[in-house]
Amino acid sequence: MKKAVTFFVVLTFIVSQILTLLYFDNLPSGYQLIVLLPSIFVVGFFLFFFEFIGKCSNPFVLYGTSVMEWIRFIILPPICAIAGNQNGMVYINPTVSSLNLSIILMIVEYFAVCLFCKLMIKPVKPHRTQKNAYIIIGRKSIYVLFFAFSLIVYFFLGRGKGLIRFLIINIAQGERIGDITETGSLIIRQLILCTMFLSFVLIVNYFWKRYQKTHKNIYVYGALIAAAINISIIVGERRTAQVYALLCSLWILINLFPKYQKKIIISLTAVAGFVLLFMSIYKFFGAFMFDSYEDAISNSEFDIPFLSRTLQIYFLGPENIAITLDFFKIKDLDIFQMFFDFLRSIFGFNYIFRGMNDITSVAFNTFIYGTEQKTGHLLSAAGYGFGFLGPFFIPFFSLINIYISLKLENLLYRLKSLELIYIVTYVLTRFVTNLFLNTPALLTQATMMAFTSLVVVGIAALLNRRNESIKPKKSPPPSQVSYRELSD
């Protein structure tokens, strides 16, 4: 594996560095330092990450960090160079000094993250739960009641709101769904998500037990179908939910059916790829404005500038960090606003503090768009740390994200409950795929999923334990009764 990874990293580095140098004169003012990023990535990778490839205590964090940085340091520079003046959004115009500084922030953050991972990750494989030790800790009858309750709530309050779709989003309505922000719809969405994942783990557990007894392939295929359905149910417009469902399903199925690992990965990745493709067309190409997805594709422009803008937005490129720096220069925000962001982002507290003030991301998007805007662009961890705490805290929030991810991953390997494994994997995926995003933004979805799911699972587990404690103990068969017991 190390040879393949080495070959891939070196090859992509060479291509990236050559292309960035060839198109260096095409770079707008402020982007010149981007030419250093490919070489810096290679140095950091071989100094800090290479020894862990194929054998490390935290593969989730290691590969999550490596892939995210590879995209930012290897893929982004040549794309930005080729795109030239069109490498960013036309309505975002950061200052040249902020662009130069943003690339320095990326480099500082990268080496701090590399060193932190080197100190925290060990070159040993994690000790995982034995294959035959997985269980359902909740009482199944309680889950069935919860499913019935969720269906009733959806039927009377959520039906007609377009909260659930299968495989693709219907574009016949002629208007965009947008993010779900209304409290009632958010609660119904969480009920749906909990119902989906609990149904999935119960069905998969049933097929797994049947497979252990019979070793028939039909039960593996049954589990695959359950996972495919779990991935294909679309709740809202955000594609991240499908990514989380994919990784949770992959993790559980691979651990339950390790012999079928390749088939599981190929099948579920293909399903997720199909769903994500059409969701991306819907969002990026404005499919809701056309009569069909085919019309949306034919009227779209997928080119290098589009790819550059997308990478800058979603992987927190120089433009994103630079406009964050400009935002903090203009807005005089104190450290109390940062603490408010954290409190306001934790599920439960978000309702308590809702009317007091807006979180920083709202002010940030309002600054970018020029009108009041609650969502849109992301706040990078590096820019957030620099803006609130100063230059010595550039990597602070990225390191917090990695630390939380490490703790979650270590917990994951100790769990036996399939319900808890799904919840922890979901939250872990939320962090690992967004390590360089400001921490409050990650807490919102993570705590919402964790709290709502754990309440249901906790009640079911508590009632299951009570039910087992009051069951009369079975008398041992006569053959197991001792002579002394008979004589007594």
Side-chain angles (χ1 to χ4, degrees):
M1 184 178 181
K2 277 194 173 184
K3 288 183 179 179
V5 171
T6 302
F7 176 78
F8 177 78
V9 169
V10 171
L11 177 63
T12 54
F13 155 68
I14 293 171
V15 173
S16 175
Q17 192 67 77
I18 291 173
L19 286 174
T20 308
L21 288 169
L22 284 174
Y23 288 90
F24 180 77
D25 293 336
N26 208 27
L27 286 167
S29 297
Y31 279 92
Q32 279 66 33
L33 288 176
I34 207 171
V35 74
L36 301 174
L37 296 186
S39 297
I40 286 170
F41 174 80
V42 168
V43 171
F45 179 83
F46 284 106
L47 280 178
F48 298 101
F49 290 145
F50 183 69
E51 69 169 301
F52 299 119
I53 299 299
K55 187 179 181 181
C56 74
S57 58
N58 297 90
F60 260 103
V61 174
L62 177 75
Y63 298 122
T65 305
S66 301
V67 171
M68 290 288 289
E69 294 288 41
W70 177 78
I71 293 172
R72 299 174 82 207
F73 282 69
I74 296 292
I75 299 298
L76 187 59
I79 298 296
C80 280
I82 296 170
N85 289 321
Q86 301 180 63
N87 68 14
M89 306 300 292
V90 293
Y91 54 85
I92 299 179
N93 296 290
T95 60
V96 172
S97 60
S98 291
L99 280 169
N100 282 317
L101 182 58
S102 69
I103 298 171
I104 295 172
L105 261 62
M106 289 178 67
I107 295 170
V108 172
E109 180 186 49
Y110 175 62
F111 280 116
V113 164
C114 287
L115 181 59
F116 188 74
C117 288
K118 178 81 169 181
L119 296 173
M120 299 297 290
I121 296 175
K122 298 179 177 125
V124 293
K125 289 188 177 181
H127 178 70
R128 298 179 182 179
T129 302
Q130 293 182 354
K131 185 184 73 172
N132 58 357
Y134 294 108
I135 59 171
I136 296 291
I137 59 168
R139 192 173 176 180
K140 295 181 178 66
S141 59
I142 300 301
Y143 289 145
V144 172
L145 288 174
F146 173 72
F147 298 159
F149 170 75
S150 299
L151 287 173
I152 291 170
V153 170
Y154 174 75
F155 184 82
F156 286 104
L157 300 176
R159 194 176 55 158
K161 292 186 177 181
L163 293 176
I164 302 178
R165 293 166 179 82
F166 185 72
L167 279 178
I168 62 172
I169 299 174
N170 186 7
I171 59 176
Q173 297 173 348
E175 60 181 28
R176 184 174 175 179
I177 302 169
D179 292 329
I180 299 173
T181 56
E182 194 263 323
T183 303
S185 297
L186 280 173
I187 293 172
I188 296 170
R189 185 190 71 171
Q190 283 308 116
L191 290 174
I192 294 168
L193 288 173
C194 288
T195 299
M196 284 166 48
F197 99 77
L198 286 172
S199 301
F200 166 71
V201 295
L202 288 176
I203 292 169
V204 167
N205 181 65
Y206 169 78
F207 284 128
W208 175 57
K209 286 186 174 179
R210 295 298 301 167
Y211 174 78
Q212 284 186 310
K213 291 179 180 179
T214 63
H215 294 284
K216 291 183 178 179
N217 291 342
I218 189 171
Y219 296 114
V220 180
Y221 297 133
L224 272 172
I225 292 170
I229 293 172
N230 183 45
I231 295 167
S232 302
I233 296 175
I234 302 169
V235 182
E237 183 187 303
R238 294 195 175 187
R239 292 153 296 167
T240 50
Q242 265 53 51
V243 175
Y244 303 157
L246 169 65
L247 293 177
C248 292
S249 301
L250 282 173
W251 181 259
I252 288 177
L253 260 61
I254 288 172
N255 280 282
L256 294 181
F257 306 101
K259 279 178 58 179
Y260 300 86
Q261 178 174 333
K262 187 179 291 186
K263 186 172 291 186
I264 290 167
I265 293 173
I266 293 172
S267 302
L268 297 188
T269 303
V271 173
F274 177 85
V275 176
L276 290 169
L277 173 64
F278 280 91
M279 290 184 75
S280 297
I281 295 171
Y282 178 88
K283 184 169 184 177
F284 289 135
F285 301 151
F288 49 87
M289 297 186 295
F290 298 91
D291 294 328
S292 67
Y293 279 95
E294 184 180 353
D295 289 342
I297 295 171
S298 61
N299 286 278
S300 64
E301 291 185 5
F302 185 83
D303 51 14
I304 294 296
F306 170 82
L307 183 58
S308 176
R309 291 191 295 268
T310 304
L311 290 174
Q312 290 245 50
I313 291 171
Y314 287 97
F315 294 96
L316 307 166
E319 182 185 65
N320 178 281
I321 299 174
I323 199 64
T324 304
L325 298 176
D326 285 343
F327 164 73
F328 277 103
K329 285 178 186 176
I330 294 173
K331 296 289 182 180
D332 186 21
L333 300 175
D334 56 35
I335 196 169
F336 294 105
Q337 176 65 39
M338 184 190 76
F339 289 121
F340 179 80
D341 288 346
F342 274 85
L343 286 173
R344 182 73 166 71
S345 300
I346 298 172
F347 183 76
F349 287 103
N350 57 335
Y351 294 107
I352 297 172
F353 295 101
R354 171 166 288 184
M356 292 181 60
N357 194 10
D358 286 327
I359 56 176
T360 305
S361 62
V362 174
F364 176 63
N365 279 286
T366 300
F367 169 75
I368 289 176
Y369 290 103
T371 57
E372 186 174 351
Q373 187 81 15
K374 292 188 176 181
T375 59
H377 289 270
L378 308 171
L379 271 165
S380 72
Y384 194 80
F386 183 87
F388 272 119
L389 301 173
F392 292 105
F393 292 88
I394 291 168
F396 181 69
F397 292 102
S398 297
L399 299 185
I400 287 179
N401 295 340
I402 292 173
Y403 182 77
I404 293 172
S405 300
L406 288 167
K407 291 298 180 182
L408 288 169
E409 186 172 1
N410 292 336
L411 173 62
L412 176 63
Y413 297 132
R414 299 197 301 267
L415 293 174
K416 297 180 181 180
S417 160
L418 292 177
E419 304 104 309
L420 296 180
I421 287 172
Y422 193 102
I423 296 169
V424 172
T425 306
Y426 188 100
V427 178
L428 173 60
T429 304
R430 171 68 176 160
F431 274 86
V432 167
T433 55
N434 296 276
L435 290 170
F436 305 104
L437 187 62
N438 74 97
T439 308
L442 300 179
L443 291 175
T444 305
Q445 186 64 32
T447 56
M448 184 184 297
M449 180 64 178
F451 179 82
T452 54
S453 303
L454 288 174
V455 166
V456 178
V457 174
I459 292 171
L462 182 63
L463 292 175
N464 191 40
R465 183 174 295 181
R466 285 184 178 179
N467 183 59
E468 290 178 354
S469 66
I470 62 175
K471 282 182 181 179
K473 293 183 179 180
K474 293 182 180 180
S475 300
S479 60
Q480 295 180 11
V481 180
S482 67
Y483 175 80
R484 183 172 180 178
E485 287 174 320
L486 289 172
S487 63
D488 288 343

